Amino acid sequence: MQCAMRSSTAVRAPRPSAARVMTVSRSRVVQVRASSTGQTFDRNWLKIDPLVFGAGFLGWTVPSSIPVSAFGGQSLFGLFNASIAENLARFPQGPALSDKFWLYLISWHVGLFVVLLLGQVGVQGRKQGYWS
């Protein structure tokens, strides 16, 4: 890797004041050149496995459908779908910021994405032999 640096000095015009002060500004221009080693970026870096998405979706939807006491004996998935139906009933007007819909939406999707992420990590880790 080669680096070349140049410095240039620029003089600013004097300020219109009683005591004229000149300031000097220095700037650096850096050029970086990288040589190719023959290695390329793996274009299939995500290594998508449809089984992970299907199992991850079911792995979050089924547990989120179990009623819990924190939601008054109802499930997160049930409350989320009920809030969607309530908001669709008054369609042209969207949900207010204080509506519980936003809490259910964020909670359900964060849980889904965590399950999908951990599922992808687990499947790819097993394929690559990290846990053998």
Side-chain angles (χ1 to χ4, degrees), residues 78-106:
L79 288 172
F80 181 43
N81 284 328
S83 68
I84 290 172
E86 290 170 8
N87 285 311
L88 282 175
R90 45 188 164 90
F91 168 64
Q93 180 184 1
L97 288 177
S98 59
D99 194 358
K100 291 271 191 177
F101 166 77
W102 299 112
L103 175 67
Y104 302 145
L105 175 91
I106 291 171

Side-chain angles (χ1 to χ4, degrees), residues 41-48 120 124 128:
F41 179 73
D42 183 14
R43 297 290 178 202
N44 189 19
W45 62 272
L46 189 55
K47 297 178 176 49
I48 295 174
Q120 183 73 359
Q124 294 305 320
Q128 295 175 18

Side-chain angles (χ1 to χ4, degrees), residues 36-63:
S36 177
T37 60
Q39 295 178 344
T40 60
F41 179 73
D42 183 14
R43 297 290 178 202
N44 189 19
W45 62 272
L46 189 55
K47 297 178 176 49
I48 295 174
D49 188 357
L51 178 65
V52 173
F53 291 110
F57 180 75
L58 286 176
W60 176 244
T61 304
V62 172

Side-chain angles (χ1 to χ4, degrees), residues 16-27:
S17 63
R20 299 208 177 228
V21 178
M22 296 185 81
T23 59
V24 177
S25 171
R26 291 184 175 212
S27 63

